[in-house]
Amino acid sequence: MASLADRKAYREKIMQALYESSEGNRLLGITGANLLQELGIPEEDLAAACTYLVGEGLITVDWASGNTPAMVALTHQGIRRMEAEEEHG
């Protein structure tokens, strides 16, 4: 299992990848397979990070069989968080 620092980093990487790929449009998402390939996060850690972010209301996930999400997208709240970070970052 990943350390707390790794788990936080994975969550941030997922949020950033979703924001960059969707350009702030919550109708656009990215497949879990693309996230795995692009970010190099272990499958079980990707699933755990996505579950956490869903719980926070920042993303939506359509789950496939197994641990890899079929499709992941930012929610309105997730987009607002990423825009706020971009403005203040």
Side-chain angles (χ1 to χ4, degrees):
M1 189 64 175
S3 69
L4 176 60
D6 286 342
R7 290 192 310 265
K8 287 183 174 184
Y10 292 158
R11 292 179 214 143
E12 200 52 48
K13 283 181 177 181
I14 292 166
M15 292 293 292
Q16 193 63 44
L18 287 170
Y19 185 65
E20 289 173 3
S21 70
S22 68
E23 298 177 349
N25 182 343
R26 65 188 182 128
L27 299 177
L28 299 176
I30 188 168
T31 66
N34 283 351
L35 283 174
L36 281 172
Q37 184 178 16
E38 185 178 321
L39 302 179
I41 297 173
E43 185 177 11
E44 62 276 4
D45 293 327
L46 177 68
C50 286
T51 300
Y52 178 92
L53 293 169
V54 166
E56 292 293 304
L58 300 173
I59 67 171
T60 59
V61 176
D62 294 329
W63 292 99
S65 59
N67 284 335
T68 302
M71 183 62 68
V72 185
L74 288 172
T75 62
H76 180 73
Q77 183 178 342
I79 292 168
R80 288 183 59 202
R81 177 182 161 211
M82 295 307 293
E83 287 175 344
E85 285 183 15
E86 187 175 355
E87 287 174 353
H88 298 106

